[in-house]
């Protein structure tokens, strides 16, 4: 996966992917590498989403601190290029990540999502996530503020 960091960095700098991420482009490769190091230190479950040999997205779950009271919790993320949304890649990737999280001993998965990202919210709800709270005007894309939904799922 480390060899794919340059490709993943290009994806997070793609407008339609960056639109709903909490990163503001341009995201330097060094920041993607730093996240990789952090995620690995936590024992992250992180995969590229492929179409043939092309990386079209990424999905992962980063466990909380293994020495804390939330060590059974993982923080979920997914992003996919716009032209591949609605084709089943997201659903398959979420199912795979959740299955692997359960096998790794995680009991709870949570994520945050922009309230404007209706497609993602719908997918997460279909996969058993529930809205647990709203952070008002917590997301600023450089032009406007929007709410962020906190979602969770017990495995």
């Amino acid at each position: 996966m480390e060899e794919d960091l340059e490709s993943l960095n290009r994806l997070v700098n793609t407008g339609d992917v960056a639109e709903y991420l909490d990163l503001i482009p341009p995201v330097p490769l060094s920041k993607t590498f730093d996240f990789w190091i952090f995620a690995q230190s936590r024992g992250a479950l992180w995969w590229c989403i492929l179409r043939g040999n092309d990386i079209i997205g990424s999905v992962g779950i980063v466990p909380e601190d293994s020495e804390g009271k939330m060590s059974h919790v993982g923080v979920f993320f997914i992003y996919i290029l716009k032209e591949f949304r609605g084709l089943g890649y997201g659903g398959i990737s979420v199912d795979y990540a959740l299955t692997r999280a359960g096998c790794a001993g995680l009991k709870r998965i949570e994520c945050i999502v922009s309230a404007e990202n209706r497609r993602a919210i719908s997918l997460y709800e279909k996969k058993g996530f529930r809205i647990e709270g709203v952070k008002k005007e917590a997301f600023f894309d450089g032009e406007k503020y929007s709410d962020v939904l906190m979602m969770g799922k017990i495995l």
Side-chain angles (χ1 to χ4, degrees), residues 59 76 78 90-99 123-124 127 129:
V59 63
F76 172 80
I78 186 171
I92 291 167
S93 298
V94 171
D95 288 342
Y96 183 79
L98 293 176
T99 298
L123 172 63
Y124 302 159
K127 299 302 178 180
F129 284 82

Side-chain angles (χ1 to χ4, degrees), residues 5-87:
L5 291 180
E6 285 186 38
S7 295
L8 294 174
N9 183 256
R10 279 193 298 278
L11 285 179
V12 300
N13 281 296
T14 302
D16 64 293
V17 170
E19 177 180 10
Y20 294 118
L21 296 180
D22 63 352
L23 304 168
I24 297 175
V27 178
L29 180 57
S30 62
K31 189 165 187 164
T32 301
F33 185 76
D34 289 345
F35 179 68
W36 165 256
I37 296 297
F38 167 76
Q40 292 307 298
S41 75
R42 289 284 179 94
L45 309 166
W46 187 1
W47 304 273
C48 293
I49 301 171
L50 300 175
R51 181 171 188 246
N53 292 323
D54 297 325
I55 297 172
I56 62 166
S58 184
V59 63
I61 298 174
V62 180
E64 292 287 351
D65 183 356
S66 64
E67 297 178 18
K69 291 183 178 179
M70 292 178 54
S71 62
H72 62 287
V73 177
V75 179
F76 172 80
F77 66 89
I78 186 171
Y79 51 90
I80 299 174
L81 287 169
K82 188 174 189 170
E83 60 264 32
F84 299 103
R85 296 177 193 160
L87 301 176

Side-chain angles (χ1 to χ4, degrees), residues 126-137:
K126 286 177 187 169
K127 299 302 178 180
F129 284 82
R130 297 293 170 248
I131 296 171
E132 298 179 334
V134 179
K135 295 173 83 173
K136 303 302 277 182
E137 296 189 9

